Structures are given as structure tokens and as C-alpha cells.
Amino acid sequence: MERQMVVVLGFLGLLFSFSLRTCFSLVMVYVLRDNSFQVNSLFTECTVNGTDRDFILPWDPSVTQYFNTVFFVGYFITQLPGGYLSARYSSSRVFGISILTSGLLTVLLSFVMAYGTAVVYALRFVQGLFEGLSIPALNGVLSAWSLKNEKSRMVTLTYCGAYLSPAVAFFVTGASTCYISWHSSLFIFGGFAIIFSIVWAFCIYDTPMSNPKMSAVEKSLFDEMGPKIDGSSETMVQNIPYRKIVTSTPVMAVFVGNFCRNWIFSLQVSELPQYFADAYGLNVASIGFLVAFPEVLMAISVVTGGILIDKLIATEKVTTTEGRKIAQCTGFGIESLCLLSLYIISDYRIATAVLLVGIGISGLAISGYQVNVLDLAPQYAHIVTGFTRISCIGSVLSTLVAGSLRQENIGSWQNIFLIAGSIHFLGVLFYAVFASGEKLSWATNLSPSDSTMTLTSRDVLEYGTVSQDNNDKIN
């Protein structure tokens, strides 16, 4: 089935994409290390140390802390352009180009780090620019390929790649950096990203109807339950309801959910390795091992949450709106409380257990805000996703706060987690009040040439509440 191919390759694309930023963060912890500070270890000392496969940079950690910030600045800049390019040209091609370029730049980083911080800042910024195109583009593909009764499962299974990626990248990077070479993980994940992008280009199409390999059985499923949205075109971008998107309260609820998620996820991926090094003096192999476990549990909860929420909605035990709010508030609510509790924790084993619970359960929320865009505006999923993901400014602010407060002691990190947990909790409250799971009146699937058609009762059931402007015609 072609839609299963979309899920599998989408999963792998996000796995490699997010692994690129994760492995870089852990490699930086290693090359900036102070061996005298490593007082705890779950494993033997790294065998790479002191060999020709070792590498130490004499850079000020307060400066290099902002390598992640410049990445997220670039990431922020291309969210809306990513949505526009996907709607105008090709969602699948934009996604593939994003992963390909990021993989190439990751490999390049291993060759240029020795030339100074300026070149690393520049490459990280450009890498962020291309990575920023990926999620709006992927949501455009998923919106076209998701059947009505499979929406949560399809999205959560695909995005599971993003949430499993830190576990894979932390474990592989920790072990390979410690026992193979300092830059081995950059070649591993960069190489896989390049190979993936080539496979994606030959296998994935923007919409079901543009795929010549679709079986008759699967085509009938899309005829019956598919979103029937238009493919990327100039006509589509000329009729995007920008004002209605930016003034929609349910869209803003997704925006806030994304803001909080970006704040916390960048903390997980970019800062947790440094937290365990600064606060507890762990070596790189131990850090990679410990921070991988919460991400595995989160990936599991992402999948199980998607199946559970789909079932609750399909059996009409809850409405779509209630299902999204249950997922969001349970996942992110518990995570915010766990982050707040780190303010008073000073043992790395207890901290790991708390992160295991908080990060693990947070995967439930993916069936909330992440799927929500496909509920609200399937026709404009790439554009709405691009707008809501401007909230990745949360990643920029998160890394800036961590960079400014971070010191080589546990107290500074307790303050960082207090701020993160508080912001996360406020975001949960906002989503609980303002989110919706119903298709918005302006999110019509009809092309502009059909926009003057009079609505039938079936149309009303399909499109939900529609404004009465222009004699009950779609606007």
C-alpha cells in the first residue's frame, strides 16, 4: 500500500533529520570536554581519548553554546517559506531537498570544525534554514495521504521518527564517539540522510492521484475517505486565506502548543547532554546511554496515543476536540510537572527517572497539537503548519536562556528547568481553553473555480459550519 510507504519513509526522514541536530550536540560536549571534571561514569573511559581519533577544541563553552541558537534562528526563518514552497511547487520535493542538504552539511561539519567558530556558526545557520522547510512540507504530504479514520495513527507513526531519533542518536553518538572516533556519528547520520533523500525522491508523490503505482483497492479507499485536496499549484497559493489563518483562535492554540514543544524539545535534544556533563560530571558514553531511554518511551507513547485517540474518536466516545485536548493536556501537563520537579533534584539517577516519566508520557500530546492542523485545515496544511511553526522561536529562546544561565553546576540548570516547566504548564492551559478539532469554515477542499457552488446537506456535513457570506457560498 502506497500510504504505508509514505508513513515508513516519513518516519525515516524525521529520524535522520532530527538525529543530525542531536548527534552534533553530543559531539560538541565531547570535543569541548574537560577530562578532569568527569567524576561519574557508567562505562569505562573512552578508548578514543589520547589517540589520533581524538579531538579537543580550546573554545569557550559560553560561545559554543550558541551553535544551537543560530541553527534554530535559521530554522525559524524558513517555516513560512517552507509552507509556501510546498503549496506552490511540491511538498515531497521540498522535504527531500531539506533532508539531503542537511545531511551534506553535517558531513561537511566534521571537516571544518578545526577552522574556528565562525565557520561552524555559518554552517549551522544554513543547516537550520534547510531543516526549517521539512515539517511544513511533510505535513503537506501527510494531509493529502491521510484517510479520515487513520489521521492520528498516520501522523503519530510518522512523527514517531522525530521522537525516537534522540534515543537512537544519543546512544549511537555516545558509543561511536567514545569508542570509534570523535566525528564518526556525523558521517553515520549525515550519510544515512543523503541516502534517504534519494530513495524518497523516487518513491513518494505529493498526492494519491498523482501516484501511478496506486492499486485500485487503495484508490477506492481515497475516493471514499480521502481528503480530496488539490495538489501544489500557483492557483492554490493565490487563494490562501492568510488573514483568517492568523486570526483563528484554534490555530493560535496549535501555535502555542508548538511554541512550548519547541522550547522543551530543543532543551531535550540540545541541552540535556550538557546538563548531565555540568551537573553530574558524566562522560559522553554515559550521557548517551542515560538520555536515550526517555526518548524510547516517548516514541512508544506517540504510537499508542495515536491509536487510542483515533479509537476514542471513531467510536464517538469523545469528540475530535475533546480527543485532541485529552492528548495534549495529559502528555504535556505531566511533562511540565516533571520539569518543575527537577528544580529540587540533585541526583542523576533520580533526575533520569523523572525525565523518563515526563519525556516518555509527553508523546501522548502528539495526538493533540501535531495532528490538529489536519483537523482544522487539511487543504492548507502546509501553509498553516508553516505559520504555527513560526513558534519555533521557542527553540531560539530556549537555547538563549540556557546559554545565558548555564554554568558548570547544578544550580544553574535547576533554574533553566524551572523556567521551562513554567512556560510548558501555561501552554497546556491555553490549549485546554482555546483548541478545536473541527474543520474551519474557510478551510474548503474546493478549487477556486468551484467556490461558487451552492452547498448541499452533504457538503455541510463534510465541511462543517460555513459562513453565510455571498448567499451561503464557500468563501
Side-chain angles (χ1 to χ4, degrees):
M1 292 286 190
E2 295 302 316
R3 68 186 189 283
Q4 279 83 355
M5 179 68 75
V6 171
V7 170
V8 170
L9 289 182
F11 169 92
L12 291 174
L14 291 179
L15 177 71
F16 297 136
S17 173
F18 280 77
S19 292
L20 298 177
R21 65 189 76 170
T22 305
C23 73
F24 174 82
S25 298
L26 195 50
V27 166
M28 290 309 302
V29 171
Y30 178 78
V31 298
L32 297 173
R33 72 193 183 282
D34 177 0
N35 286 327
S36 63
F37 184 63
Q38 294 178 7
V39 296
N40 293 306
S41 179
L42 300 176
F43 303 99
T44 58
E45 185 60 37
C46 296
T47 58
V48 168
N49 290 355
T51 70
D52 58 359
R53 294 170 286 126
D54 194 6
F55 190 52
I56 298 179
L57 290 169
W59 295 343
D60 184 351
S62 65
V63 175
T64 59
Q65 191 75 15
Y66 298 112
F67 286 152
N68 294 318
T69 301
V70 297
F71 172 90
F72 286 117
V73 168
Y75 194 75
F76 163 76
I77 290 172
T78 51
Q79 293 300 311
L80 271 179
Y84 178 88
L85 291 172
S86 300
R88 173 63 182 86
Y89 299 104
S90 166
S91 297
S92 63
R93 296 297 172 260
V94 171
F95 182 73
I97 291 170
S98 170
I99 306 301
L100 172 63
T101 308
S102 188
L104 289 169
L105 290 173
T106 298
V107 173
L108 182 60
L109 276 167
S110 66
F111 293 103
V112 302
M113 277 192 191
Y115 294 102
T117 58
V119 67
V120 179
Y121 276 124
L123 287 182
R124 289 290 285 166
F125 176 73
V126 174
Q127 188 176 23
L129 288 175
F130 278 93
E131 286 264 4
L133 304 173
S134 62
I135 300 301
L138 181 60
N139 265 15
V141 175
L142 292 176
S143 181
W145 282 89
S146 59
L147 299 176
K148 182 178 180 181
N149 65 340
E150 295 179 350
K151 194 181 300 180
S152 293
R153 277 171 288 176
M154 189 167 190
V155 173
T156 53
L157 284 169
T158 303
Y159 275 87
C160 189
Y163 300 109
L164 185 62
S165 68
V168 175
F170 279 136
F171 184 80
V172 172
T173 303
S176 64
T177 301
C178 215
Y179 303 116
I180 300 177
S181 72
W182 72 271
H183 52 12
S184 55
S185 64
L186 299 178
F187 287 102
I188 292 170
F189 290 109
F192 274 120
I194 294 168
I195 294 170
F196 162 82
S197 63
I198 297 172
V199 175
W200 173 272
F202 284 101
C203 295
I204 301 302
Y205 295 80
D206 282 353
T207 65
M209 296 306 106
S210 64
N211 187 341
K213 297 177 287 186
M214 181 109 76
S215 68
V217 173
E218 192 166 19
K219 183 176 180 180
S220 67
L221 287 174
F222 279 99
D223 288 338
E224 182 182 353
M225 294 183 291
K228 302 178 181 65
I229 68 173
D230 298 328
S232 303
S233 67
E234 184 176 0
T235 302
M236 177 185 289
V237 299
Q238 288 175 347
N239 292 275
I240 296 169
Y242 289 107
R243 181 179 62 81
K244 293 182 179 179
I245 291 173
V246 301
T247 58
S248 168
T249 303
V251 171
M252 286 306 302
V254 177
F255 182 97
V256 171
N258 264 298
F259 177 87
C260 295
R261 185 54 180 169
N262 276 281
W263 188 294
I264 304 305
F265 197 62
S266 66
L267 191 65
Q268 290 173 216
V269 172
S270 304
E271 309 300 338
L272 270 189
Q274 196 65 59
Y275 162 64
F276 279 101
D278 288 345
Y280 305 113
L282 295 167
N283 69 17
V284 68
S286 302
I287 292 171
F289 180 76
L290 288 176
V291 297
F293 277 103
E295 311 296 342
V296 173
L297 185 56
M298 179 172 65
I300 295 172
S301 69
V302 166
V303 176
T304 55
I307 295 172
L308 175 62
I309 295 301
D310 263 353
K311 185 173 182 179
L312 289 174
I313 294 173
T315 57
E316 299 185 348
K317 289 183 169 59
V318 299
T319 65
T320 302
T321 299
E322 290 168 344
R324 301 291 174 236
K325 290 184 177 182
I326 289 170
Q328 182 88 354
C329 296
T330 302
F332 283 173
I334 292 175
E335 184 179 40
S336 66
L337 296 177
C338 289
L339 290 171
L340 289 170
S341 71
L342 289 175
Y343 182 71
I344 59 173
I345 292 173
S346 57
D347 184 286
Y348 79 87
R349 287 161 293 219
I350 299 175
T352 302
V354 169
L355 288 169
L356 185 67
V357 173
I359 295 175
I361 294 178
S362 71
L364 295 174
I366 307 310
S367 296
Y369 82 100
Q370 194 77 67
V371 183
N372 209 173
V373 169
L374 275 65
D375 300 320
L376 302 176
Q379 176 66 45
Y380 302 110
H382 19 44
I383 297 297
V384 177
T385 298
F387 169 69
T388 58
R389 287 188 63 82
I390 294 176
S391 59
C392 72
I393 189 68
S395 297
V396 177
L397 297 176
S398 177
T399 53
L400 281 173
V401 168
S404 62
L405 295 181
R406 176 246 171 178
Q407 298 177 23
E408 293 185 3
N409 60 62
I410 192 171
S412 64
W413 284 100
Q414 288 173 330
N415 291 328
I416 291 170
F417 287 122
L418 178 63
I419 294 170
S422 300
I423 290 172
H424 210 27
F425 187 75
L426 292 174
V428 170
L429 294 179
F430 189 94
Y431 192 90
V433 174
F434 296 110
S436 171
E438 303 305 315
K439 183 184 289 186
L440 300 174
S441 60
W442 45 263
T444 166
N445 292 343
L446 298 178
S447 63
S449 62
D450 296 323
S451 62
T452 58
M453 292 175 60
T454 303
L455 289 173
T456 66
S457 58
R458 181 175 179 179
D459 294 325
V460 174
L461 290 174
E462 172 66 20
Y463 296 114
T465 304
V466 181
S467 68
Q468 297 298 313
D469 296 341
N470 300 322
N471 298 319
D472 289 330
K473 296 173 183 178
I474 299 175
N475 54 23

